[in-house]
């Protein structure tokens, strides 16, 4: 999922593109740099999608470095993404800590050696974990909650002990080019860092983040959070549902509808100006509005699960235990259009941004989004507004 794809998605949807400003690896893009404390809290979800550039970074002369250890608290529900990066010799020797399937993974490049190791506990349980990384001679050691997670030994005739030059540290991205990685990964990380201590340095960090640093919510729960400022859109060809003809395509949404307001989802055929199917929630008084073409069906009910099944000339909607069936002649053959590629948006109406007002953006938490019974990861969307947290919702408890 490169930035090119993201960009075409953005252009296609007629949405404002902030991604264009992101330059190539190793290059500031001219956006003003700001100083920021490295001790946090730092919300890594604030990083622009489709970019590998770090959210923030710092550098220090190695002669100033007295400690060998960096430690921080980390919390996420996101299974995959980049957390912490460090290098010396301007990226000649580097390491990166990522999560994959929720498990820590380190990739290290040093002289002629490239290694990747994975292990330790799953970290994406939404709880704070203490993560410590230290460089001890020929070894890099990762500890989680005081327990040894990973120990990597590296030795080559070509490794040189570096005592001069600078060390660079980065969060939420990397400073080497992608082709140096042993195994590629998806960079986006919806996670938070706090109480960071980076080699015991007090050097300020630099960031190009837009606006104020985002807070980290006190409590989080799994889900995708839409604060009412934007949508996430998929091309249905990137989603499951290409085999089934008879049983149709099923989209499931889990969440407390009494705490939602706005457009939950909309489905649009290319070339059509209006969405073909839209589901909206209104809570004053509570109702679910299903629009098929221009026809509205209002159900005065709340739900914890809404299921939409798209068949040829038929749409079924299940709101908890209420089953509704709509047979319409002039709607598209959904299973076929799905295979050809429709736009499925969550949290808003994909349009030209002018004809649809922003009050229709969803405000609320979708605890689970599934297509054909499989979880939909918003980090893999064609387009996702920066405001949306793909893997966490604020929670009250
Ligand atoms: C780092 O070293 C360079 C020269 O080697 C020096 O000019 C610079 O002031 C040093 N920076 C710090 C923060 O000590
Ligand atoms: C960390 O820095 C503080 C003050 O900057 C100093 O008192 C302390 O000894 C340092 N600790 C280590 C392990 O270097
Ligand atoms: C969706 O993807 C298909 C297949 O890659 C492509 O032909 C189609 O143009 C895409 N549709 C949109 C609206 O981007």
């Amino acid at each position: 999922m490169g930035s090119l794809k993201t960009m075409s998605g953005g252009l296609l949807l007629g949405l404002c593109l902030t991604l264009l400003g992101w330059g190539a690896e190793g290059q500031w893009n001219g956006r003003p740099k700001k100083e920021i404390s490295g001790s946090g809290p730092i919300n890594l979800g604030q990083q622009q999608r489709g970019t590998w550039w770090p959210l923030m970074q710092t550098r220090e002369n190695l002669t100033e470095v007295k400690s060998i250890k960096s430690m921080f608290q980390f919390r996420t529900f996101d299974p995959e993404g980049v957390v912490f990066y460090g290098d010396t010799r301007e990226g000649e020797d580097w390491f990166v800590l990522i999560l994959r399937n929720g498990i820590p993974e380190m990739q290290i490049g040093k002289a002629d050696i490239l290694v990747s190791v994975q292990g330790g506990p799953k970290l994406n349980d939404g709880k704070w974990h203490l993560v410590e990384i230290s460089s001890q001679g020929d070894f890099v050691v990762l500890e989680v909650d005081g327990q040894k997670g990973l120990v990597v030994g590296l030795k080559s005739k070509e490794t040189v002990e570096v005592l001069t030059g600078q060390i660079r540290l980065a969060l939420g991205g990397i400073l080497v080019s992608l082709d140096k990685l042993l195994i590629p990964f998806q960079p986006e990380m919806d996670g938070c860092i706090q109480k960071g201590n980076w080699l015991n340095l007090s050097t300020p960090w630099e960031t190009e983040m837009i606006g104020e640093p985002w807070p980290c919510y006190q409590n989080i729960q799994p889900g995708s959070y839409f604060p009412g400022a934007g949508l996430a859109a998929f091309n249905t060809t990137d989603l499951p549902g290409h085999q089934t003809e008879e049983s149709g395509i099923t989209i499931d949404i889990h969440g407390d509808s009494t705490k939602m307001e706005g457009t939950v989802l909309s489905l649009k055929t290319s070339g059509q100006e209006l969405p073909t199917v839209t589901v909206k929630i209104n809570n004053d008084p509570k109702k679910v509005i299903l629009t098929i073409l221009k026809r509205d069906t209002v159900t005065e009910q709340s739900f914890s699960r809404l299921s939409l099944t798209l068949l040829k000339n038929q749409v079924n909607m299940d709101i908890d235990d209420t089953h509704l069936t709509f047979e319409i002649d002039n709607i598209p053959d959904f299973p076929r259009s799905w295979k050809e590629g429709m736009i499925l948006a969550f949290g808003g109406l994909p349009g030209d941004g002018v004809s649809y007002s922003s009050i229709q953006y969803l405000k609320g938490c979708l605890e689970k989004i599934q297509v054909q019974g499989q979880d939909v990861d918003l980090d893999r969307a064609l387009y996702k507004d920066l405001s949306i947290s793909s893997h966490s919702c604020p929670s009250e408890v």
Side-chain angles (χ1 to χ4, degrees):
M1 178 111 302
S3 55
L4 265 180
K5 201 163 182 194
T6 314
M7 285 198 279
S8 63
L11 287 170
L12 170 92
L13 294 161
L15 293 159
C16 152
L17 264 181
T18 41
L19 289 172
L20 285 169
W22 290 93
E25 177 257 330
Q27 182 186 315
W28 295 103
N29 70 359
R31 200 176 280 146
K33 283 181 251 176
K34 285 181 289 197
E35 284 194 351
I36 184 170
S37 160
S39 56
I42 297 148
N43 191 331
L44 298 179
Q46 189 168 4
Q47 180 57 307
Q48 296 280 344
R49 272 182 86 245
T51 178
W52 290 84
W53 193 247
L55 179 66
M56 51 197 273
Q57 57 170 306
T58 187
R59 57 165 73 221
E60 182 58 272
N61 289 344
L62 277 169
T63 48
E64 303 294 314
V65 177
K66 301 286 181 275
S67 167
I68 53 163
K69 189 179 260 187
S70 290
M71 53 185 137
F72 56 93
Q73 291 186 3
F74 179 59
R75 182 188 70 180
T76 192
F77 280 116
D78 195 341
E80 185 166 333
V82 55
V83 183
F84 178 44
Y85 167 94
D87 71 22
T88 52
R89 301 201 289 148
E90 298 293 311
E92 290 296 309
D93 295 340
W94 57 271
F95 84 90
V96 63
L97 171 69
I98 70 160
L99 286 196
R100 197 192 299 271
N101 299 317
I103 296 168
E105 174 176 312
M106 283 201 285
Q107 296 192 32
I108 304 173
K110 195 171 182 183
D112 55 339
I113 314 172
L114 198 52
V115 289
S116 169
V117 279
Q118 206 193 34
K122 269 203 179 206
L123 290 187
N124 64 331
D125 58 1
K127 300 196 175 91
W128 286 107
H129 293 283
L130 175 65
V131 178
E132 297 173 77
I133 294 186
S134 53
S135 165
Q136 309 178 6
D138 294 329
F139 294 87
V140 178
V141 179
L142 172 77
E143 286 170 82
V144 176
D145 299 324
Q147 306 280 320
K148 279 221 165 59
L150 289 171
V151 180
V152 190
L154 282 172
K155 185 106 184 138
S156 149
K157 289 201 175 82
E158 290 178 29
T159 51
V160 282
E161 190 67 20
V162 189
L163 298 168
T164 56
Q166 291 191 315
I167 185 166
R168 299 189 296 184
L169 302 176
L171 295 174
I174 60 176
L175 294 165
V176 280
S177 63
L178 296 184
D179 54 22
K180 290 208 179 173
L181 297 173
L182 187 58
I183 315 170
F185 50 85
Q186 200 180 291
E188 290 85 13
M189 171 50 73
D190 175 10
C192 265
I193 284 175
Q194 68 178 15
K195 304 198 172 120
N197 179 315
W198 314 100
L199 305 172
N200 206 30
L201 299 171
S202 53
T203 332
W205 290 58
E206 272 180 350
T207 182
E208 290 175 274
M209 65 174 65
I210 306 158
E212 290 304 305
W214 289 4
C216 291
Y217 295 111
Q218 182 82 28
N219 298 297
I220 55 170
Q221 65 178 79
S224 296
Y225 184 63
F226 295 77
L231 58 83
F234 288 84
N235 185 331
T236 55
T237 57
D238 297 330
L239 292 168
H242 303 290
Q243 282 76 39
T244 42
E245 295 279 345
E246 266 77 71
S247 52
I249 316 282
T250 302
I251 305 166
D252 285 306
I253 301 286
H254 297 242
D256 180 354
S257 74
T258 62
K259 293 178 186 156
M260 299 175 194
E261 191 74 39
T263 308
V264 171
L265 65 87
S266 61
L267 188 65
K268 193 166 171 280
T269 320
S270 55
Q272 298 280 306
E273 198 178 327
L274 288 171
T276 315
V277 177
T278 311
V279 177
K280 283 184 207 150
I281 310 287
N282 206 298
N283 272 302
D284 188 23
K286 68 183 177 199
K287 56 189 174 210
V288 180
I289 307 152
L290 172 71
T291 311
I292 302 175
L293 299 174
K294 283 180 185 167
R295 203 178 314 171
D296 286 348
T297 306
V298 179
T299 313
E300 290 177 7
Q301 199 182 319
S302 57
F303 65 82
S304 59
R305 177 175 174 177
L306 179 143
S307 202
L308 210 59
T309 305
L310 309 169
L311 296 134
K312 192 177 175 180
N313 305 123
Q314 189 181 323
V315 176
N316 297 339
M317 184 167 72
D318 291 274
I319 310 174
D320 289 339
D321 295 328
T322 310
H323 180 77
L324 304 161
T325 291
F326 306 88
E327 287 187 42
I328 300 167
D329 291 336
N330 56 345
I331 53 173
D333 174 347
F334 281 114
R336 210 179 116 202
S337 305
W338 188 274
K339 268 187 223 167
E340 287 167 4
M342 301 172 89
I343 293 295
L344 174 61
F346 297 100
L349 301 163
D352 57 13
V354 177
S355 48
Y356 304 114
S357 68
S358 59
I359 50 167
Q360 303 196 335
Y361 286 134
L362 177 66
K363 191 166 191 303
C365 176
L366 303 184
E367 288 164 22
K368 193 181 263 192
I369 305 172
Q370 291 184 317
V371 169
Q372 299 294 77
Q374 292 182 35
D375 288 349
V376 173
D377 183 349
L378 297 187
D379 282 343
R380 297 184 187 268
L382 196 61
Y383 170 84
K384 180 178 84 68
D385 188 79
L386 185 58
S387 66
I388 301 165
S389 305
S390 43
H391 294 277
S392 61
C393 296
S395 78
E396 278 146 30
V397 265

